[in-house]
Amino acid sequence: MLAMQGRLLLVNYHYVRDPKVYAYPGIHPLSPEQLRRQVGKLGSTLELLTPGEAEAYLLGRRPLDRPSALLTFDDGLVDHAWAAREILDPLHIKAVFFVCTRPLVEERALVVHKVHYLRATTEPEQFRREFLELLPGEWQGSELSSEQREAARRTYIYDRPEHGDLKYLINFVLPEHVVDAVTTGMFEGHEIDEAEFCRRTYMDANALRALEASGHRVEAHTHDHRPVTTLGPDESELMTRNVDVLTQVLGRRPTWISFPYGRDWALQPDPAAFCRRYGFQIGITLTGDWVRPEHRPYAVDRINTNEVDMVLAQVAEAGG
C-alpha cells in the first residue's frame, strides 16, 4: 500500500445508458448499473476526492495520505446530469464534468456523437456505404497508410481493427468540416432533426448550473471536440468561445481543460503553454496511468472506465 501512497486516480466516463437500445456497435456505453457498481468498488478501495480536494493536490497545495480517486465525465451529455443526480449525489460523491459548447449555443451536434449515433443505429456495411458515398470527390477512395493503421490500433484499443480504421479516417484523416457535412447529410437522409438530437443528447445551461449548485465542477473540453493538435489557425477563436460560453453560463471562468481524445498524439507539443494561453491551471489527458506526486499539472494522467478493474487489482496486490 505504501507504493500507492500519494497517488491520485482520475477515471473518465462518457456515455451512461442501456447498451441494449442500440442495434449495432458504435456507442459503447456503461450501463447505469455498471456505473453504480464501479463507483461502489472505487469508493470501497480508494478515497473519493471532491473536485476542490483534487485541485489542491494537482496544484501542489496538499499531499494525499492514501490512494485516492476523482471521477470525471467528458462531453456534456444528458447522461451525466442523470448520473450525478441519481447515482453520485445520494452517495455524496462529486465529480468534474468537461463540456463542449457547440451543441449549447449552435444546436449543432458534435461530429463524434453524430458518427457514434449513426453507427449504432445503422447496419455497419450500410453505414460505411452511405458515409463513403457522401464524401466529396477529392476524398473518394481514401485509404489509410500503414503508419495510420498502426496509429488507429493504438487509438481505438477497444474496437475491432476495421471499425478502428474507419474511426481513424473520420477523426484524424478527413477534415472536420468534411465529416461534419457528411454526417449532417446522413442525418437528413435518416430524417433526424439535429436540433432535437442536441436537446436529447446534451445538457443545457440550466443543467450545467444545477451541477455546480450541487457541488460538482463544470470545466472546458473545447468548443467542438476536435483534437487540439488539429485546430489550426482557428484555434484561438474556438478555444476562446468554449471559455467564454462556459464563463457566461457558470458565472466564473473555467480553469481546467480535458483534452479531447487525450492521448499523447492529441496534445499540443507544449501543453503548459497551451493551458496558460487560455487561463487553464490544469490540463487532463487520457494516458492510462496514476497521477503521481511528481506529476505535471498541465498534462495530468487519467484512465478510462474500462481500465478500472485492472488498476484496482494492482491496489489489492499492493496491500490496499
Side-chain angles (χ1 to χ4, degrees):
M1 188 65 163
L2 287 176
M4 299 289 179
Q5 190 170 335
R7 294 188 186 185
L8 174 64
L9 188 70
L10 271 67
V11 183
N12 184 46
Y13 298 96
H14 287 93
Y15 296 108
V16 180
R17 56 183 70 169
D18 185 354
K20 296 177 184 176
V21 302
Y22 300 105
Y24 306 104
I27 290 174
H28 303 285
L30 200 67
S31 73
E33 185 53 37
Q34 286 174 319
L35 175 63
R36 199 184 307 273
R37 287 200 303 267
Q38 190 170 95
V39 168
K41 289 171 69 175
L42 285 163
S44 66
T45 308
L46 306 172
E47 180 180 355
L48 294 180
L49 301 186
T50 67
E53 291 168 339
E55 181 175 80
Y57 170 76
L58 294 172
L59 295 179
R61 296 171 183 164
R62 62 162 283 186
L64 296 179
D65 297 329
R66 56 168 295 191
S68 302
L70 174 72
L71 307 185
T72 72
F73 294 76
D74 279 6
D75 299 346
L77 304 175
V78 293
D79 306 27
H80 304 161
W82 181 91
R85 183 178 63 250
E86 301 296 329
I87 296 178
L88 304 186
D89 286 346
L91 298 172
H92 306 290
I93 297 169
K94 303 305 174 183
V96 183
F97 297 82
F98 295 100
V99 174
C100 295
T101 43
R102 185 169 97 157
L104 188 65
V105 296
E106 299 179 33
E107 292 191 322
R108 295 176 61 207
L110 303 180
V111 174
V112 65
H113 295 139
K114 289 194 289 183
V115 171
H116 288 171
Y117 183 78
L118 288 164
R119 289 184 65 234
T121 56
T122 309
E123 190 276 327
E125 284 308 311
Q126 180 187 348
F127 171 82
R128 183 177 181 84
R129 182 175 64 253
E130 290 181 6
F131 186 91
L132 295 177
E133 284 177 355
L134 287 172
L135 281 175
E138 65 270 27
W139 292 101
Q140 289 286 335
S142 298
E143 295 282 347
L144 297 185
S145 67
S146 58
E147 291 82 5
Q148 289 169 332
R149 284 197 172 89
E150 178 56 33
R153 303 296 181 271
R154 296 195 307 270
T155 305
Y156 300 109
I157 59 178
Y158 302 111
D159 288 280
R160 290 168 52 184
E162 61 269 29
H163 295 158
D165 286 354
L166 182 58
K167 289 169 72 173
Y168 192 88
L169 177 71
I170 290 169
N171 289 322
F172 295 101
V173 177
L174 297 173
E176 191 268 351
H177 71 276
V178 169
V179 182
D180 201 3
V182 169
T183 51
T184 294
M186 292 178 71
F187 263 40
E188 292 170 356
H190 289 247
E191 298 185 343
I192 300 169
D193 180 84
E194 191 163 345
E196 177 58 28
F197 178 84
C198 287
R199 287 188 285 273
R200 295 196 317 265
T201 304
Y202 304 101
M203 289 185 282
D204 61 16
N206 288 332
L208 298 179
R209 286 191 284 263
L211 282 176
E212 291 238 322
S214 63
H216 301 283
R217 184 81 68 87
V218 174
E219 297 289 353
H221 195 40
T222 76
H223 182 63
D224 58 7
H225 202 271
R226 276 187 275 173
V228 296
T229 51
T230 66
L231 290 179
D234 55 355
E235 170 201 304
S236 182
E237 177 185 350
L238 289 169
M239 282 308 313
T240 299
R241 192 164 197 200
N242 187 225
V243 170
D244 288 349
V245 169
L246 290 177
T247 300
Q248 183 177 10
V249 169
L250 304 173
R252 65 164 184 85
R253 188 179 180 88
T255 56
W256 297 38
I257 182 172
S258 165
F259 296 106
Y261 304 99
R263 309 291 178 181
D264 53 0
W265 37 262
L267 305 180
Q268 290 280 2
D270 187 350
F274 180 88
C275 287
R276 292 191 191 103
R277 189 178 310 139
Y278 301 105
F280 300 124
Q281 295 179 306
I282 296 170
I284 305 297
T285 73
L286 195 56
T287 48
D289 205 351
W290 289 87
V291 184
R292 292 170 169 79
E294 64 274 15
H295 66 271
R296 300 171 296 159
Y298 299 113
V300 173
D301 293 316
R302 180 171 55 162
I303 71 168
N304 194 289
T305 175
N306 295 315
E307 299 163 314
V308 167
D309 287 343
M310 177 186 68
V311 172
L312 291 183
Q314 293 172 354
V315 176
E317 267 186 39

